[in-house]
Amino acid sequence: MSGKASVLRALHQGRAADDPLVLPGPWDAASAAVFADAGFPALATPSAGISASLGYPDGQGTPAAEMFAAIARIVRAVDVPVSADVEAGYGLPAEELVERLLDTGAVGCNLEDSDPVGRRLVDPREQADRLAEVRAVAGPELVINARVDTYLRGDRTTAAAVERGRLYAAAGADCVYPILAPPTQLAELAERIALPLNAYCKPGGPSPRELGVMGATRVTFGGGMQQQALEAVKDLAAGLLR
C-alpha cells in the first residue's frame, strides 16, 4: 500500500467523538496549498467546487479529462493525502477509473450512487457491484468513500440509507457518506452501518466538532468553501467600485 493511502486510511481510525477527521475541499492548487499550510492532515476535493472553477455547473457535464487534470494539479501542490470526488465515475469502467485516479496521485475517492443523467438513485446492488469492482482493481491503494444519495433523492429514512451503506461496506468501501442526512440520525447510521461515517458540514449547521459528537468520523464541505471564497471575491469587487 502506498504511504499516503495508508496515512489517509489510518486517519479514519480511533478518533475521539469530538475530534472528527476534518477534510477541507480545495478547488484548485492555490486553495489546496492554503489548507495544507494551515495544518490539515488530508484534503478532499469537491466536484462542485472544481466544476465551478472550470466554468461548469455541478453534475452537468464537466469533462472527465478536465476533472482529472484539476485533481492532479491539486495533488501536486501539497504533500498531504488527497481524496478526489469523481461523482459517479463518468461512465468509466472500473479499471480505467482507478488507473486515471491513481495517475493523478489521489489516494481516495468519492463515488456516488445517483445516475448523473437521470438524477435518480442507482439500484443499490448494482452500485455495490460497481464498488466491489473498483476495490478489486485498486486494492488498498484507494480509500473509497461511498456516497449514499437517498436523502438527496427523496427517501429520508434511516432504513434506506442503512440498506445501501451495509451493501457498500460489504463491497469494500472504507467510509460511507449519507449526504444531507439529518445530524440527529448520524449516530444511528454509524452504529448500524458499522463503518466510518462522513457528514456534510453546511453553513449555519452544526460545526465539525459537533458533527463528530453526533456520530460522524469524517467531515467534508462539498462545494461550500469555494462558494464562500467567491462571496469574498464579490465583496472585494464591489469595494473596488465604491
Side-chain angles (χ1 to χ4, degrees):
M1 184 178 359
S2 73
K4 287 185 178 179
S6 178
V7 168
L8 181 59
R9 186 168 282 108
L11 285 170
H12 292 74
Q13 305 302 319
R15 306 200 69 90
D18 63 349
D19 182 33
L21 176 59
V22 179
L23 299 178
W27 55 94
D28 60 14
S31 59
V34 169
F35 292 132
D37 289 346
F40 289 96
L43 306 174
T45 70
S47 64
I50 291 179
S51 294
S53 74
L54 296 173
Y56 299 98
D58 182 35
Q60 297 183 37
T62 303
E66 291 193 44
M67 182 63 72
F68 286 118
I71 293 166
R73 289 191 293 271
I74 287 170
V75 173
R76 286 198 302 269
V78 299
D79 292 328
V80 300
V82 175
S83 181
D85 181 353
V86 289
E87 303 178 83
Y90 307 109
L92 299 172
E95 186 170 355
E96 182 178 355
L97 176 61
V98 170
E99 179 181 7
R100 295 180 74 171
L101 267 168
L102 294 178
D103 282 348
T104 69
V107 293
C109 68
N110 274 20
L111 283 171
E112 61 194 50
D113 60 358
S114 285
D115 175 353
V117 177
R119 295 191 173 270
R120 59 173 181 81
L121 289 166
V122 174
D123 179 87
R125 287 172 178 76
E126 289 181 12
Q127 182 68 3
D129 289 344
R130 165 82 157 158
L131 292 169
E133 290 176 359
V134 171
R135 170 57 70 214
V137 174
E141 299 303 319
L142 284 176
V143 177
I144 299 174
N145 188 32
R147 204 177 90 175
V148 175
D149 283 3
T150 53
Y151 294 95
L152 181 65
R153 300 298 176 203
D155 189 340
R156 298 180 174 274
T157 64
T158 55
V162 167
E163 177 193 8
R164 288 174 178 265
R166 286 178 170 172
L167 285 169
Y168 304 164
D174 297 281
C175 187
V176 170
Y177 180 17
I179 189 169
L180 300 184
T184 53
Q185 294 183 16
L186 295 177
E188 181 181 357
L189 291 168
E191 180 180 3
R192 294 178 63 186
I193 296 173
L195 272 187
L197 199 76
N198 189 147
Y200 170 57
C201 185
K202 59 183 179 180
S207 69
R209 184 179 296 272
E210 289 169 336
L211 290 170
V213 171
M214 299 173 87
T217 297
R218 162 174 164 160
V219 177
T220 54
F221 302 85
M225 290 184 164
Q226 188 269 344
Q227 293 169 5
Q228 291 178 59
L230 195 58
E231 288 300 318
V233 173
K234 288 180 181 178
D235 290 342
L236 174 62
L240 295 175
L241 296 174
R242 293 186 187 128

